[in-house]
Amino acid sequence: MRQSSLVVVANRLPVDDSVAPDGACEWRRSPGGLVSALHPLLQHTPATWVGWAGGTGPAPMLADIDGVRMHSVPLARDDVRDHYEGFANATLWPLYHDSVEQPVYHRRWWEAYQRVNQRFAEAAAEAAEPEALVWVQDYHLQLVPGLLRAIRPDLRIGFFLHVPFPPPELFMQLPRRAELLLGMLGADLVGFQRAQAAHNFAQLATKVLQLPATDRRIAVGERVVRIGAFPVSIDMTEMEALARRPDVTQRATRIRRDLGDPQHVILSVDRMDYTKGIEQRLKAYSELLATGHVKVRDTVMVQVAVPSRERVEQYQILRERVEREVGRINGEFGRVGEPAIHYLTQPFDRAELAALYRAADIMAVTPLRDGMNLVAKEYVAARVDDGGALLLSEFAGAAAEFPQAFLVNPHDLEGLKLTLMHALQATPVDLTGRMQSMRQHLRVHDIRAWARSYLTSLDQTGNLVTQLATT
């Protein structure tokens, strides 16, 4: 079996759920942008992607994609229920997002989390050549670095957390807090989206494990684990090119026409998740309609809410509440042929998203908590006309990079309403200045810069970084 000098370990493989009869598959863009970030690098070095293919039962044999080997990890139905839906998404996810929903703890979930993480660690150990780089991704696999180091101490191991890392007073609630910290500390480099998250992690290493720590380094026996912030980004060049395509430009014009050519189009694109602030956003918009500050004929809201984790009860309840509220708002404020909110739940391809971004005067990105939020960055990249306004939550990681956005506390409904009105009433000169500044920042801090920055810190030989720089 072929071994690889770079191994990416993530919960999911970057392939379509459906594989053609001849075994062919294609790259699938992941919600966190991981595929886009690593695809250029993986095409130019012997690499393996270790992950779950999405089904249950034996692991399928998948063909290489662009020379990258797909190493599928098998999961049983109980693994998916207790590891993925349970400990990962009903325990860690809500806790890491400020306990917006109450985390749930079950011992069998923890047992499944250990079991699945061990399986991923063994798969990575099998795929990696001597002294290879292994890059472990996200909260589903926090035990993997420590487990992998026990099996293969020769490897250079990186871990990156795409979601927020909570303050000590929240993390301390976890029944298995020490084990999770030790798992992450099996890495040589632990990366976060924001510096505050690295600070939280260092504090916990001292408080829970009594380890000497700063915001940059943690001593683990004779090893030194480095920590830091590496804000993830997008492929701006790709999104710009897409937004400039004539068919996308024409589609954006047609979208506005189909919406009735209003003065303002407000757009939100979210996964159906309780962390995204969808209910708060709808309530603020409803109150603006009720007071007459916003009129249906002049302003249209488009809410895209793609279903997510539909087997998890909290997400089923959220979808019911959102759909009930959209129905109430449209029933109270809409007219025949003029709904107050256009509510869409189907996923869109990249071209349609780019057209929506071009059509929207205001992009409302107001999560209650978010590690980064790449939708905000996609909107900025798509605005090749330097137009549009970004209404952005202070609690999204992107807020640290986009101070020129219309920043808002999504928990403060009055503040949310006032800031939305400010964006609606802003002058073209103000909007252009803000957008140009954000686009300039994003051009420098794109997805390749993110990957290069992290791998430069992880890879002491510099070989992989040199390959990335030439792609």
Side-chain angles (χ1 to χ4, degrees), residues 150-433:
I151 303 171
R152 293 284 307 275
D154 61 298
L155 300 174
R156 296 286 298 173
I157 303 170
F159 179 82
F160 187 81
L161 188 69
H162 292 260
V163 301
F165 190 79
E169 56 268 25
L170 279 179
F171 190 86
M172 292 292 288
Q173 296 177 17
L174 278 170
R176 297 293 183 166
R177 60 201 185 192
E179 291 95 324
L180 284 166
L181 291 173
L182 286 169
M184 296 168 70
L185 287 169
D188 296 289
L189 175 65
V190 180
F192 301 92
Q193 299 279 22
R194 302 185 72 168
Q196 182 62 50
H199 175 72
N200 294 343
F201 185 68
Q203 283 189 310
L204 282 160
T206 299
K207 186 177 182 66
V208 177
L209 303 175
Q210 290 76 52
L211 296 175
T214 70
D215 288 359
R216 297 175 65 87
R217 290 177 174 80
I218 301 173
V220 184
E222 297 181 355
R223 291 193 308 117
V224 174
V225 178
R226 290 170 295 124
I227 62 177
F230 303 87
V232 74
S233 194
I234 67 165
D235 188 340
M236 183 170 184
T237 301
E238 181 259 356
M239 178 53 76
E240 279 188 315
L242 194 58
R244 292 185 192 277
R245 274 177 23 188
D247 61 314
V248 170
T249 302
Q250 292 166 10
R251 176 60 182 149
T253 301
R254 195 158 58 249
I255 287 172
R256 290 192 71 98
R257 187 170 62 246
D258 291 345
L259 293 172
D261 285 322
Q263 292 179 21
H264 302 288
V265 174
I266 303 170
L267 171 67
S268 290
V269 178
D270 308 280
R271 282 189 307 104
M272 182 64 78
D273 193 290
Y274 49 77
T275 66
K276 300 302 184 182
I278 299 172
E279 291 179 285
Q280 289 81 356
R281 189 186 310 140
L282 291 175
K283 183 171 179 59
Y285 190 63
S286 172
E287 291 185 6
L288 288 174
L289 288 168
T291 59
H293 286 92
V294 169
K295 300 183 185 302
V296 170
R297 184 160 296 173
D298 300 330
T299 303
V300 172
M301 173 177 273
V302 178
Q303 173 65 65
V304 178
V306 180
S308 173
R309 300 168 188 158
E310 294 183 271
R311 286 161 50 102
V312 179
E313 183 181 6
Q314 292 166 316
Y315 290 78
Q316 296 169 355
I317 294 171
L318 173 65
R319 180 169 182 172
E320 291 172 2
R321 290 203 306 258
V322 167
E323 292 180 350
R324 186 164 54 245
E325 180 64 5
V326 169
R328 183 194 69 80
I329 293 171
N330 280 335
E332 187 170 346
F333 301 106
R335 300 182 179 89
V336 174
E338 293 181 340
I341 298 173
H342 293 256
Y343 175 67
L344 306 167
T345 60
Q346 72 267 33
F348 292 98
D349 62 27
R350 299 289 290 166
E352 185 71 5
L353 271 178
L356 282 167
Y357 294 150
R358 289 293 307 271
D361 301 290
I362 295 178
M363 185 78 212
V365 181
T366 59
L368 305 178
R369 193 75 168 93
D370 218 334
M372 177 52 61
N373 196 293
L374 296 181
V375 167
K377 293 190 172 185
E378 288 182 344
Y379 179 72
V380 170
R383 294 313 302 231
V384 293
D385 59 345
D386 292 333
L390 176 61
L391 181 72
L392 180 61
S393 168
E394 298 170 0
F395 305 114
E401 298 184 69
F402 291 156
Q404 303 87 0
F406 292 86
L407 297 178
V408 65
N409 174 1
H411 300 273
D412 176 8
L413 287 181
E414 289 302 317
L416 180 53
K417 287 155 58 179
L418 286 171
T419 308
L420 177 55
M421 291 305 301
H422 184 196
L424 286 169
Q425 296 167 358
T427 66
V429 172
D430 181 19
L431 295 177
T432 297

Side-chain angles (χ1 to χ4, degrees), residues 2-7 45-46 48 124-134 152 154-156:
R2 190 190 79 184
Q3 292 182 315
S4 299
S5 59
L6 174 64
V7 178
T45 186
T48 295
E126 180 183 357
E129 68 181 22
E131 301 181 359
L133 266 65
V134 180
R152 293 284 307 275
D154 61 298
L155 300 174
R156 296 286 298 173

Side-chain angles (χ1 to χ4, degrees), residues 52-53 55-61 72-76:
W52 172 47
T56 56
M61 295 296 294
S72 180
V73 177
L75 293 184

Side-chain angles (χ1 to χ4, degrees), residues 77-96:
R77 191 178 302 275
D78 288 352
D79 295 328
V80 176
R81 182 192 65 207
D82 295 340
H83 164 262
Y84 179 74
E85 296 172 356
F87 195 80
N89 287 312
T91 301
L92 293 180
W93 178 268
L95 186 79
Y96 284 13

